[in-house]
């Protein structure tokens, strides 16, 4: 069985779902943190529509390389779908995961992505959730749902930012400052 995504070199979604299921059960039984970062490429459809699918594929390949350079070897990094990626962090609370997500965001934004067409400025939006703060803790899909909600909160808040589930909610945005969600809602 293939475990890697052929384009990005990351784990594929099937492998990721197997791993998150095991890790969720382990963390639930031990009541230890298990954080999930879900991120996707901002305006990726525009990349494909404007520059072609070859350029889009090149962006996805470079995304796999850049994020792999930021995360630890033991972190679980997968292509979750189209232009969406997941990073699973066992034993890591949401705030620490948010710091990693921010380092990933900066690594993506820092340098244009080289493509066969031209260098492209790329950004990502990310959502972070910790299973110890998921209300029911019945399945890993709850953790994915919360991270996905935070990802789309970042998209609605202007993109190129990290939104985090925590006891004191905040968003990490492009200015690298913590901004309360109440501030985000004013932007909508």
């Amino acid at each position: 069985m293939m475990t890697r995504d052929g384009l990005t070199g990351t784990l594929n979604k099937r492998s990721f779902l197997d791993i998150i299921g095991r890790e969720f059960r382990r963390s639930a039984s031990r009541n230890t943190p298990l954080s999930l970062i879900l991120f996707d490429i901002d305006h990726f459809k525009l990349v494909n529509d404007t520059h072609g699918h070859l350029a889009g594929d090149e962006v996805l390949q470079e995304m796999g390389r850049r994020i792999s350079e930021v995360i630890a070897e033991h972190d679980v990094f997968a292509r979750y779908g189209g232009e969406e990626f997941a990073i699973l962090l066992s034993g890591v609370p949401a705030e620490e995961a948010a710091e990693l997500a921010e380092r990933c965001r900066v690594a993506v934004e820092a340098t244009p992505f080289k493509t066969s067409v031209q260098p492209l400025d790329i950004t990502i939006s990310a959502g972070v959730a910790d299973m110890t703060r998921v209300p029911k803790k019945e399945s890993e899909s709850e953790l994915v749902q919360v991270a996905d909600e935070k990802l789309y909160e970042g998209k609605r808040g202007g993109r190129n930012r990290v939104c985090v589930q925590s006891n004191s909610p905040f968003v990490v945005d492009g200015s690298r400052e913590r901004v309360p969600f109440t501030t985000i809602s004013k932007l909508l």
Side-chain angles (χ1 to χ4, degrees), residues 105-175:
R105 189 198 65 73
V106 169
V108 169
E109 180 186 44
T111 308
F113 281 50
K114 293 179 183 175
T115 71
S116 54
V117 179
Q118 66 184 53
L120 300 175
D121 292 325
I122 301 295
T123 61
I124 60 172
S125 296
V128 180
D130 175 356
M131 74 145 301
T132 60
R133 297 184 180 133
V134 170
K136 294 181 185 176
K137 296 181 186 66
E138 292 176 357
S139 82
E140 61 275 12
S141 63
E142 294 172 83
L143 181 63
V144 172
Q145 180 180 351
V146 172
D148 198 47
E149 289 168 1
K150 294 301 171 187
L151 164 61
Y152 282 94
E153 191 170 305
K155 294 273 190 197
R156 288 187 306 270
R159 292 182 167 74
N160 192 25
R161 56 183 68 221
V162 173
C163 286
V164 185
Q165 170 211 23
S166 72
N167 291 337
S168 302
F170 64 88
V171 63
V172 181
D173 68 9
S175 64

Side-chain angles (χ1 to χ4, degrees), residues 35-54:
S35 288
L36 174 62
I37 301 168
L38 281 183
F39 71 88
D40 77 8
I41 301 170
D42 296 328
H43 305 293
F44 187 70
K45 183 179 182 327
L46 188 62
V47 170
N48 279 333
D49 291 349
T50 304
H51 304 288
H53 290 277
L54 176 59

Side-chain angles (χ1 to χ4, degrees), residues 11 24 34 39 84 89 99 150 155-156:
L11 288 173
F24 187 89
L34 176 67
F39 71 88
E84 191 169 27
L89 305 163
E99 292 172 11
K150 294 301 171 187
K155 294 273 190 197
R156 288 187 306 270

